[in-house]
Each structure stands twice: as structure tokens, then as C-alpha cells.
Amino acid sequence: MKKLFTGSITQTMLLLVGITFMGALSSGCSSMSLTRQDVVRQYDAVAQLSDGLVDARGQDGALLAPITYSETKSDLDEAILYARKADKARANEVAQQGLKKLQKLNKMIVANRIEMDEVVNIRTRANLQGANLLFKEGSKEADNSFRAASRLLEKGETESARKLRPELIQFYARLELDALKQGTVAVAEKAIAAAEEADADKYAPKTLQNAREELKLSLSVLDADRTRADESNSHAQTATWMANQAREITALLKYYKSQDFTNEDRLLWYQNQLQQVRNALRDETLPFNQPNTKVIQELRDDELALKSVMKDIRLTNQLSQQRTVQLEQNIESQRQMHEKELQNVLKIHENQLAALSSGNASQMSQAKKEAAAQVATLKKRLSDQSLAQAKSERLSLRSEERFTQTQNRFSTEEAGVFRQGDNVLIRLNGFNFKPGKFEVDAVNYALLNKVVAAINTFPGSSVTVIGHTDEVGSDQHNLDLSAARARSVVGFLSTVGGIDANRLTADGRGEEEPVASNETEEGRGANRRIDVLIVNTETLLGSVPTR
């Protein structure tokens, strides 16, 4: 009985120990069962750090600032480890520490990229030629040397890093030249092999197969006719591009997998990338609550608006260059004039010295008269220059005030006001034409009255009214329609606004200069617009487009 009782106690103790052990194991498994993506979802600081490191890696952070990149990545890994252990306080503390290092990392990437600009450019060119695929060991050695130079920069040893630049430039230049000598077909073959090695057959089979087909076409073209080298190279370059695309798709999908991304997580990540693109253009959230076609449409509209602004900037730069040339010519003309004046002064002084030396009273009297006349001429010139400079400053100040007044007349929704050299462009975003019509509706009167006030701000200026249409209808119809709309606006400005008709010109551009997509009614409405170019006779300060 005692033996039985003793056995029962032993079994009971073992059972309790087992339960305790299983409970502890279960508890540990529960805290460690959080996936990496679970941590990112539940910890905002960790999510910011993770996204920031992905961006930094895309900016070659591991190459340009390897020490800081490694330290930041270590903080991310440590924060995730604490989070998976359910140590929230420590996880957030380490993540915040990592975010501070991330700020330092981003600044370091920018600074070191500027410092190593030539090296970065030649490395990019070499890799575009496939050097990193054709000569893996050489590229790896060059990158290791690059990282060594970057470490020196991180430590503040700038001069030591600069001494390495010529060697790095030569190294990457040799790789680029060797890649060019290998030819596009060899690069394509290496690119496909690299994609296969990266498991693109599993993750991006369609794209990789397209690359293979392009390579086959490249080889078959050469087999058929050796003189069609350009066509063969074109197919080979396409094959390389597709193979690299397949490899990048694979890398992205592997990243998704390592983060335990669900399909929803992938789409949210993609939407976040699109939003970052939008943020660089304007601070508005993309309509992810609407169909994806709407999102893409807005991005296309952003692109068209950016192209329009860039066109204005290019025109402004062109006008600025013309003004610079004119200023240089004026400076040279003044230099020659002053040099001639100086020669005259020297000649008069020589005459005075000669007169003094000879003691001839008549010559001395003549020399004094010439000197007095020269002094009077110089005084008058200096006075005229001072008056001209003061007048120029007054005109510039007045012109600046007028531009500011014009700019302030319109809200952003009504118009964009730009400088184009000495001129002012008013882009009437809020002007509305009915489809296919050219008559000025009463809804536009208030906006046109502001245009009249803006034109009157620049007395003596000439004005060109430019009409634009959407792409509905034939090219000729739209060209005629845009001209008719411009004439309608000119008519309003003259008859209602009281502006001299001789100052006004109408011009039609048709559908050739869209500022938004023509695929939506909203975009087509934006393209049915009017631009008013005020050709100013007075000089405006600066030349950079505003608003």
C-alpha cells in the first residue's frame, strides 16, 4: 500500500511538472508566434523603421553608408525580437532609437552620394551595361572598395575617402568597357541566368519566359542575316530588361514572403508606394476608396500637370538665358565705352603734362578746358547712370508689386499665375466651356473680370489669349474650336472689360497641350481651358515660375 501510494505521488508530481512545462512552453510559443508582419502591424514605430530601411536600401544605403545602415538594421531586428517576446516597452524603445539612426542614415546617404557623385554615376553606367552580371567578382570587389570609401566618409575622414575616388572611377570604367566589349547578347544571357539563379522560374515565370523568347529572337535574327545587328541588339536589350524585371519581381515577392504578407498586405504596401509618389507632387491622399482605375487616372493627371509645369520652367529658363546673353552684351559694350573714356582721359593728362613741360600758356589753357570738359562729361554720365539705375529699381519694384497683386487676385482653383521672363501667364483652371461650344457662359464672368483687372495692372502690355480643347473630335475641329473660344474671350475683354482691342490677340492650340487626362470627364473639363499671356513692357524681377 505504501509502495502504491508512493508511486501515485510520484506520478502526480510528474503530471504536475508536465502540465507546468507545457503551460510555459505554450506561453512562450504564444509570444513568439507573432510573425514579422504581425509585429509591423501592431507596432507603429517598428513599421516606420521597416519601411524606412526598405527605402534606404533602394537608395543604395548599404553601399553609401554601410556602418549606419547596419546599425539601423540591427535596431530593427532587435525591436522585432522584443516585440515577439511581448516586451512592448523595450520594442518601442529600440524602434525609436532605430528611427533616430534612420534620420542620420538618410542624411548620410544624400551627403555621401554628393561626395561620391562621379563614382555613383560610372557605377550606374557599368551596371546598365550588365557589368554586375558579366563580372560578378570584379563588381563585388569594386563595391567592397566603394563601401570602404563610404565608411571613411561616415567616420569623418573625407580627404582619405576622396583619395580613393580616382581608383574607384577607373575600376568601374574598366568594368563598363569590358561589358560593352562582351556585347548585348552576352549580357542578356547573363541576366537570364541571374534571374534563374534567383528563382524567377518560381516567382516570375511569365516575365522570365518572355525574356527567353526575346533572346531567341535576337539569336535567330543574327543567324538569318549577320547585317541585322541593330535589330538583334534591340531584342537582346529587351531580353536583358525583362530578365532584370523578373529578378526584381522575384526579390519583391520574396520580401513579401519573408514579411508574412497576406494578399491584403501586399496591396496596402503597393498603395503606400503610390501614395509616396503622390506626396512628392502634392499633399493629397489618392482615392484608394474608389476603383483602381480612378487611382491610376489621378496619377496620370499629376503627370500631365507636372509636364505642363516643366514646360513652363523650360520656357522660363530659355527666356532667362536670352536675358543673360543680352546683359553680357550690354556689359561688354559698357566696358568698351569706359575703356575708350579712360584712353581719352589719359590723352588729356598727357597734353597737360606736355603743356606744363613747354611752359606754353596757350597749350596750358587748352589742356585745362579739355580737362574741365572731360570732368563735366563724366559727372553727367555718372548722374545719368544713377538716374537710370534708380529708375530700373523703381520699375522692378513696381513690376514685382504688380505681379504679386495679380497672383493674389486668383485662388488656386481659379488660376495658376506664372512668370515667363518679363511676361506673366495666367492659366485659367476655373474657366468652363461646354463640350463643343465656344460661347462665354455667365458662370465665367466673375473670373474674367479678375482677368481684366490683372491686365489693367500692366498698362501698355499686349495680351495673347490662348484657347485649348479636350481631344474629343478631329484635330482640325479642335484647333478651330480652340481659336473660336480664344476669340470669344478676346471679345469679352474688349467689349465688356474695356481693354483696347489693338492690345489683344487670339490664338488656338487645339488638343495639343493637355494638362490632365482626356479619359475622364473631369480631365477633359480641365483641358477645355484658357491661358492669358500678358507680354509686359517692364522688367519683372526673377524668372522662376510661382504657384
Side-chain angles (χ1 to χ4, degrees):
M1 183 71 178
K2 184 177 180 180
K3 183 177 181 181
L4 178 61
F5 180 73
T6 302
S8 298
I9 292 176
T10 302
Q11 289 174 359
T12 302
M13 290 177 66
L14 286 173
L15 179 61
L16 289 171
V17 169
I19 291 172
T20 303
F21 175 75
M22 291 301 293
L25 182 62
S26 174
S27 175
C29 288
S30 175
S31 62
M32 294 295 288
S33 64
L34 287 176
T35 66
R36 191 180 184 94
Q37 188 56 28
D38 288 335
V39 172
V40 170
R41 274 197 296 262
Q42 295 178 26
Y43 292 78
D44 290 341
V46 176
Q48 292 177 34
L49 184 57
S50 178
D51 290 343
L53 264 179
V54 171
D55 291 340
R57 184 168 61 243
Q59 295 295 322
D60 287 327
L63 183 70
L64 289 164
I67 297 175
T68 314
Y69 180 87
S70 179
E71 291 175 353
T72 309
K73 186 175 183 302
S74 294
D75 282 347
L76 174 62
D77 294 339
E78 186 179 353
I80 289 174
L81 183 62
Y82 279 119
R84 297 180 74 176
K85 290 180 179 179
D87 190 343
K88 187 173 183 179
R90 185 63 179 143
N92 283 326
E93 179 184 349
V94 174
Q96 290 296 337
Q97 174 182 300
L99 286 172
K100 291 180 180 178
K101 290 180 181 177
L102 180 64
Q103 291 180 346
K104 177 184 176 183
L105 172 62
N106 289 330
K107 291 179 181 178
M108 192 71 69
I109 289 172
V110 173
N112 290 358
R113 186 183 296 278
I114 293 172
E115 186 65 46
M116 305 296 282
D117 182 59
E118 289 183 78
V119 181
V120 171
N121 290 338
I122 190 66
R123 177 180 181 270
T124 301
R125 292 209 314 264
N127 288 343
L128 285 174
Q129 297 301 329
N132 57 330
L133 300 173
L134 293 168
F135 313 110
K136 290 184 178 179
E137 290 303 318
S139 295
K140 183 178 179 181
E141 183 180 350
D143 284 351
N144 285 338
S145 298
F146 196 159
R147 270 186 284 271
S150 297
R151 290 189 188 96
L152 290 172
L153 290 173
E154 287 185 274
K155 294 176 183 178
E157 301 176 25
T158 305
E159 290 304 320
S160 298
R162 287 174 179 172
K163 290 177 181 178
L164 296 178
R165 285 190 305 200
E167 181 182 344
L168 285 168
I169 290 170
Q170 290 180 5
F171 205 152
Y172 285 117
R174 285 197 301 271
L175 288 170
E176 180 188 22
L177 180 60
D178 291 342
L180 286 168
K181 289 179 179 179
Q182 286 281 341
T184 55
V185 171
V187 173
E189 290 173 341
K190 290 287 185 179
I192 290 173
E196 291 171 343
E197 186 178 345
D199 294 330
D201 270 315
K202 176 181 178 182
Y203 290 93
K206 293 180 181 179
T207 307
L208 182 57
Q209 185 56 36
N210 288 338
R212 289 171 178 148
E213 293 298 328
E214 286 292 331
L215 179 58
K216 286 181 183 178
L217 280 173
S218 174
L219 295 172
S220 64
V221 166
L222 278 183
D223 288 339
D225 186 351
R226 291 286 178 180
T227 64
R228 295 164 62 189
D230 288 345
E231 185 180 349
S232 173
N233 286 338
S234 178
H235 285 297
Q237 289 169 357
T238 302
T240 301
W241 194 93
M242 289 181 170
N244 290 336
Q245 182 188 21
R247 193 169 54 154
E248 292 304 319
I249 290 173
T250 299
L252 188 57
L253 290 177
K254 283 185 175 181
Y255 169 73
Y256 288 160
K257 186 176 181 180
S258 71
Q259 301 294 309
D260 298 316
F261 273 26
T262 64
N263 287 336
E264 181 184 11
D265 293 327
R266 296 178 184 187
L267 286 175
L268 290 172
W269 182 89
Y270 175 70
Q271 288 180 347
N272 182 55
Q273 303 303 304
L274 293 180
Q275 185 59 48
Q276 289 183 35
V277 174
R278 159 57 72 85
N279 290 342
L281 300 173
R282 51 191 170 120
D283 189 20
E284 292 182 18
T285 303
L286 284 165
F288 294 121
N289 58 332
Q290 298 183 41
N292 191 58
T293 53
K294 177 64 176 175
V295 175
I296 300 303
Q297 193 58 62
E298 285 214 8
L299 287 173
R300 286 175 178 168
D301 289 346
D302 288 345
E303 179 192 12
L304 286 170
L306 181 60
K307 285 181 177 178
S308 178
V309 171
M310 291 303 296
K311 182 179 178 182
D312 290 333
I313 291 174
R314 282 193 296 270
L315 177 58
T316 299
N317 287 339
Q318 182 182 358
L319 292 170
S320 297
Q321 290 171 1
Q322 291 173 357
R323 292 181 65 190
T324 301
V325 170
Q326 174 136 23
L327 283 172
E328 289 174 348
Q329 291 173 346
N330 291 341
I331 291 171
E332 177 60 22
S333 176
Q334 289 182 6
R335 186 193 67 78
Q336 292 176 0
M337 181 181 66
H338 291 157
E339 185 176 348
K340 186 176 180 180
E341 288 177 349
L342 180 59
Q343 289 173 352
N344 290 335
V345 170
L346 290 173
K347 185 177 179 180
I348 290 171
H349 286 175
E350 288 173 357
N351 291 339
Q352 287 178 324
L353 288 172
L356 288 170
S357 299
S358 65
N360 188 306
S362 176
Q363 288 182 353
M364 290 177 65
S365 176
Q366 180 62 30
K368 287 180 180 179
K369 289 180 180 179
E370 290 178 353
Q374 186 67 27
V375 169
T377 301
L378 288 175
K379 283 183 176 179
K380 185 177 185 306
R381 186 174 298 282
L382 287 173
S383 176
D384 290 345
Q385 287 178 348
S386 297
L387 289 172
Q389 183 176 357
K391 182 180 178 181
S392 175
E393 290 175 354
R394 286 196 303 273
L395 286 174
S396 294
L397 181 60
R398 187 159 64 243
S399 294
E400 177 67 16
E401 291 173 349
R402 289 171 177 173
F403 178 84
T404 302
Q405 289 174 13
T406 302
Q407 191 179 54
N408 292 336
R409 289 185 192 280
F410 302 93
S411 67
T412 305
E413 292 73 24
E414 289 177 326
V417 181
F418 301 87
R419 288 174 178 157
Q420 291 190 344
D422 291 343
N423 307 326
V424 177
L425 176 69
I426 304 173
R427 174 155 294 154
L428 299 178
N429 305 321
F431 201 95
N432 293 301
F433 280 112
K434 292 179 180 177
K437 303 296 183 180
F438 62 84
E439 295 85 358
V440 176
D441 285 341
V443 69
N444 297 305
Y445 288 175
L447 182 56
L448 284 176
N449 284 333
K450 290 186 177 184
V451 173
V452 170
I455 294 172
N456 287 332
T457 304
F458 297 90
S461 62
S462 60
V463 179
T464 301
V465 177
I466 307 166
H468 302 271
T469 69
D470 56 33
E471 65 177 12
V472 177
S474 68
D475 293 352
Q476 187 59 51
H477 170 75
N478 287 332
L479 190 63
D480 294 340
L481 180 60
S482 65
R485 288 174 173 172
R487 287 193 296 271
S488 293
V489 173
V490 164
F492 180 95
L493 297 177
S494 176
T495 58
V496 180
I499 296 173
D500 186 352
N502 293 323
R503 296 172 58 194
L504 302 170
T505 304
D507 184 20
R509 303 284 175 84
E511 62 189 65
E512 295 304 314
E513 299 178 8
V515 294
S517 170
N518 281 295
E519 295 181 12
T520 65
E521 178 53 41
E522 182 182 1
R524 290 190 291 273
N527 290 331
R528 297 191 294 269
R529 72 187 191 282
I530 289 292
D531 289 344
V532 178
L533 179 63
I534 302 174
V535 181
N536 187 20
T537 56
E538 295 181 350
T539 302
L540 279 174
L541 286 173
S543 58
V544 180
T546 306
R547 192 181 287 172

